[in-house]
Amino acid sequence: MSEPLAQRLRPRALSEVCGQQHLLGEGCVFRKTIDSGRIPNMIFYGPSGVGKTTVARIIAENSGMRLHKLNGTSASTSDIKAVLAEIGTLNSANGLLLYLDEIQYLNKKQQQSLLECIEDGSVTLIASTTENPYFYIYNALLSRCTVFEFKALQPADIEQGICNALARLSAEEAGPIEMPQEACQYLADACGGDMRKALGCLEFAATAAVPGPEGNRLITLEMVKQVARRTAMRYDRAGDDHYDIVSAYQKSMRGSDPDAALHYLGRLLEAGDLVSACRRLMVCACEDVGLAYPQIMPIVKAAVDIANMVGLPEARIPLANAVVLVATSPKSNTAYMGINRAMADLKRGKSGPIPRQLQNKHFDGEDALVKGQNYKYPHDFPNRWVEQQYLPDALAGTVYYEYGENKNEQAAKAYWDKVKKK
């Protein structure tokens, strides 16, 4: 079985790697450290297809140390023990380097088994992960390693990789393989910053290209569009891409940008994530529009109910209406900030007994200094209001809610200022 193009074209030196210049550029600390030959314990974090494994392999294979490669998806505890068993042997005279791909799949015990040998330097660890290491890797191991983030590749980086691949394919095949600039650009844009995905699509299109009269094969724009469909968007419901998209979705609505909000709604729906699209929409209506337009909450809830009833793809219609409404509505987070302040006080232990007049009991013990509940029923007073203490004594006078500047809250403020004669 032939080796995939992405595997055949792996760079053999850091200078051949496309992108990641924030790490690999001349003068960068990461590059200087690697070039010095002294390899520290490192964890590479970032999306798939951006060069994590490639860079790790280049470093490992040029380190001069005894190299072991394991993958977290298949490595067992006995595999790890077999690596550690070489510590102190002739094979490890120049040191042991363990390259561990997809480290997030190792359980806690397996990760902990590496701690002592990493601590004393008998094993150097280079690990890579597509998940946020601060969530998936245990703190004790994180504290012994330096985390480097690999970013999604830019279209220019992908385009360079495609050109390199075309040259390699042309040399390997019976005749040259040609690809117009617009097709190359389309593929570079469509792969979502994933070099592996771009090369996979390229290889597929190259296989389908029919040799012309002169023996050359042409990969057309139409061919690229057929193989690159639905590849432009990264999405993993359990990964960082999911949280980035839902974050951008709500922040766009909060920032009153309906165009961006619709874009991120589209990305969620394209991935089939109707649940997240509905949930963040309802949260935004309550958190960010709130009391500036309180009627929006049942409106958004109704739109979400319709979306869940009709399902995709029609769900996009009520949700689009609701998203635009939230994005273009006046904003107020006063209630949100108020509950946050109240809960922060509770977490700090600021509370106290409920005032006697509010308690649900109508008799007092013998030790009570003041007998009777003494609750004042607001409906018995003018304007249905009477001054009395509702907060516990320790919090008396504390203000959690502050009126917003929008029309609705200012109207309420004016009413209560008049009633309370402020």
Side-chain angles (χ1 to χ4, degrees):
M1 185 172 63
S2 61
E3 195 175 29
L5 182 63
Q7 183 68 21
R8 300 204 308 268
L9 292 183
R10 281 193 187 276
R12 297 179 178 84
L14 295 180
S15 59
E16 298 175 6
V17 177
C18 296
Q20 310 305 338
Q21 291 307 297
H22 65 293
L23 298 176
L24 304 178
E26 295 295 336
C28 292
V29 173
F30 179 90
R31 181 66 178 270
K32 284 182 167 181
T33 302
I34 301 307
D35 288 343
S36 73
R38 300 182 63 182
I39 311 301
N41 298 307
M42 296 179 287
I43 296 174
F44 296 164
Y45 153 56
S48 59
V50 299
K52 300 185 304 298
T53 301
T54 296
V55 171
R57 286 187 175 184
I58 292 171
I59 295 171
E61 290 170 358
N62 291 280
S63 66
M65 292 185 278
R66 169 76 166 173
L67 174 62
H68 288 274
K69 302 176 185 178
L70 295 177
N71 190 295
T73 60
S74 57
S76 64
T77 302
S78 60
D79 292 327
I80 297 173
K81 288 181 177 178
V83 174
L84 303 185
E86 289 198 11
I87 296 174
T89 66
L90 289 175
N91 286 333
S92 63
N94 294 325
L96 279 174
L97 192 150
L98 172 61
Y99 169 54
L100 186 52
D101 200 8
E102 304 293 355
I103 188 176
Q104 74 272 16
Y105 290 108
L106 294 187
N107 60 39
K108 184 176 183 179
K109 184 177 179 181
Q110 289 173 320
Q111 291 188 29
Q112 287 177 329
S113 67
L114 299 170
L115 294 178
E116 185 177 351
C117 59
I118 291 174
E119 181 98 57
D120 63 23
S122 52
V123 172
T124 299
L125 174 69
I126 299 180
S128 63
T129 175
T130 55
E131 306 293 350
N132 191 326
Y134 299 101
F135 293 160
Y136 290 90
I137 298 176
Y138 292 94
N139 286 334
L141 189 58
L142 275 177
S143 68
R144 292 162 172 80
C145 302
T146 304
V147 177
F148 293 98
E149 182 179 2
F150 281 60
K151 300 178 180 179
L153 298 177
Q154 297 300 310
D157 301 323
I158 300 292
E159 203 167 338
Q160 180 60 52
I162 293 171
C163 291
N164 295 342
L166 285 170
R168 179 73 172 268
L169 279 173
S170 296
E172 291 179 353
E173 303 290 340
I177 300 176
E178 299 174 0
M179 189 174 181
Q181 181 68 22
E182 63 268 20
C184 188
Q185 289 179 344
Y186 182 93
L187 180 55
D189 290 333
C191 68
D194 187 333
M195 182 70 79
R196 186 185 296 112
K197 188 176 290 184
L199 295 179
C201 291
L202 175 65
E203 187 172 26
F204 203 105
T207 303
V210 179
E214 299 179 2
N216 61 320
R217 287 186 289 170
L218 177 65
I219 300 176
T220 65
L221 177 60
E222 180 57 33
M223 294 172 66
V224 171
K225 286 182 177 180
Q226 290 184 37
V227 297
R229 284 178 180 170
R230 297 182 62 88
T231 64
M233 185 180 65
R234 292 180 177 274
Y235 196 80
D236 178 358
R237 292 192 190 191
D240 289 341
D241 294 324
H242 162 78
Y243 296 106
D244 287 344
I245 292 174
V246 295
S247 175
Y249 175 50
Q250 182 167 354
K251 287 173 181 174
S252 297
M253 288 187 283
R254 178 186 299 147
S256 303
D257 189 330
D259 301 308
L262 287 172
H263 169 77
Y264 293 114
L265 170 65
R267 290 175 71 159
L268 288 169
L269 298 183
E270 183 71 10
D273 195 352
L274 182 59
V275 172
S276 294
C278 292
R279 181 176 180 273
R280 298 316 303 177
L281 175 59
M282 290 189 290
V283 169
C284 192
C286 299
E287 176 183 339
D288 299 306
V289 177
L291 296 176
Y293 179 23
Q295 297 92 332
I296 201 171
M297 298 178 204
I299 294 173
V300 167
K301 176 60 166 59
V304 167
D305 287 344
I306 294 171
N308 282 297
M309 182 172 291
V310 302
L312 290 170
E314 288 83 0
R316 74 190 188 282
I317 303 169
L319 292 183
N321 281 278
V323 163
V324 170
L325 180 63
V326 170
T328 56
S329 292
K331 303 298 189 293
S332 172
N333 70 341
T334 52
Y336 168 76
M337 296 302 295
I339 187 60
N340 286 354
R341 294 185 190 108
M343 296 190 74
D345 271 355
L346 290 171
K347 290 178 180 178
R348 287 194 293 265
K350 292 186 67 175
S351 183
I354 294 173
R356 175 66 186 88
Q357 63 270 20
L358 303 184
Q359 293 175 7
N360 188 33
K361 63 180 181 180
H362 306 286
F363 64 92
D364 297 289
E366 294 297 327
D367 58 342
L369 298 178
V370 179
K371 303 292 185 181
Q373 186 170 18
N374 300 312
Y375 171 61
K376 298 175 184 178
Y377 188 54
H379 293 285
D380 291 339
F381 295 85
N383 298 310
R384 306 296 189 266
W385 180 82
V386 62
E387 187 170 1
Q388 65 183 325
Q389 181 180 324
Y390 291 93
L391 280 168
D393 291 342
L395 293 169
T398 301
V399 175
Y400 292 125
Y401 170 69
E402 297 178 356
Y403 289 96
E405 297 177 355
N406 59 83
K407 180 176 66 175
N408 283 321
E409 290 181 88
Q410 284 301 304
K413 182 178 184 299
Y415 172 80
W416 286 110
D417 283 351
K418 181 179 179 181
V419 169
K420 298 177 182 180
K421 295 182 174 59
K422 288 186 179 180

